[in-house]
Amino acid sequence: MSSSHKNLSEFSSKNVADISQKRFGILVSEWNSEVTDALFSGAFETLVTNGAIRDNIIKQYVPGSYELSLGAQWMAERKDIDAVICLGCVIQGETRHFDFICSAVAHGLTNVSLKYNKPVIFGVLTPDTQKQALDRAGGKHGNKGDEAAITAIKMLGIKG
């Protein structure tokens, strides 16, 4: 959804569900916390602004983005969780580590979503630099956490 000209915090109001009785699990990678805590703030505020009850939003840290998949599975197993939002940041480095982590997380989160028939949202930044990450975590491109929260809300709206 994002580009060099798009603010990630802009979205269509189509299919925005009533989330006043929904419970959300938000997993936040501890790695690069300057970015991931900003993503969490965006997601949390977007959920509350759109009707979520603060006590119905459960925050859990995982060590890094790779651990989001298992954390999401544990969260999705819970009957009292309607959607899981996963927030992380993997910055391109000099090795192929970036490729392996990003691929594993994307596949892992997709599998968890399908296994538990719940929205499991990929809110993981994959920028080339720290500056690009900050630009997408409340900077000039908005906040990908906002986008992740809206995606969760809209997916709940589709399911009904």
Side-chain angles (χ1 to χ4, degrees), residues 92-108:
Q92 177 68 54
E94 296 178 357
T95 68
R96 294 182 48 207
H97 182 259
F98 173 89
D99 299 322
F100 293 120
I101 297 299
C102 294
S103 179
V105 174
H107 285 102

Side-chain angles (χ1 to χ4, degrees), residues 26 39-51 54 57 146 149:
I26 303 181
L39 294 173
F40 171 77
S41 293
F44 184 86
E45 289 306 317
T46 296
L47 290 173
V48 171
T49 298
N50 283 277
R54 290 177 181 271
I57 302 170
D146 295 345

Side-chain angles (χ1 to χ4, degrees), residues 1-3 6-8 10-12 144 147 150-151 154:
M1 283 176 73
S2 69
S3 73
K6 180 153 177 73
N7 185 313
L8 298 175
E10 296 173 1
F11 62 91
S12 165
K144 176 90 172 164
E147 180 183 342
I150 288 297
T151 301
K154 287 184 169 211

Side-chain angles (χ1 to χ4, degrees), residues 5-145:
H5 303 291
K6 180 153 177 73
N7 185 313
L8 298 175
S9 300
E10 296 173 1
F11 62 91
S12 165
S13 59
K14 294 178 185 174
N15 296 329
V16 175
D18 174 7
I19 59 170
S20 60
Q21 301 303 310
K22 302 294 185 184
R23 290 179 55 90
F24 297 85
I26 303 181
L27 296 166
V28 183
S29 170
E30 292 175 342
W31 187 260
N32 204 345
S33 62
E34 179 183 11
V35 172
T36 60
D37 286 340
L39 294 173
F40 171 77
S41 293
F44 184 86
E45 289 306 317
T46 296
L47 290 173
V48 171
T49 298
N50 283 277
I53 297 169
R54 290 177 181 271
D55 289 342
N56 287 347
I57 302 170
I58 298 155
K59 179 182 186 181
Q60 180 66 55
Y61 282 103
V62 296
S65 291
Y66 185 82
E67 291 75 26
L68 287 168
S69 295
L70 182 56
Q73 180 169 300
W74 289 339
M75 194 68 77
E77 286 174 344
R78 293 177 52 166
K79 302 282 188 224
D80 66 331
I81 297 294
D82 297 294
V84 180
I85 299 170
C86 299
L87 304 173
C89 180
V90 184
I91 297 176
Q92 177 68 54
E94 296 178 357
T95 68
R96 294 182 48 207
H97 182 259
F98 173 89
D99 299 322
F100 293 120
I101 297 299
C102 294
S103 179
V105 174
H107 285 102
L109 296 182
T110 298
N111 290 337
V112 172
S113 185
L114 296 173
K115 179 178 179 178
Y116 290 96
N117 199 30
K118 291 182 182 181
V120 176
I121 309 305
F122 183 89
V124 180
L125 297 180
T126 57
D128 291 328
T129 66
Q130 180 75 4
K131 181 181 181 325
Q132 289 174 346
L134 292 169
D135 285 345
R136 289 155 178 80
K140 71 180 182 180
H141 292 301
N143 191 316
K144 176 90 172 164

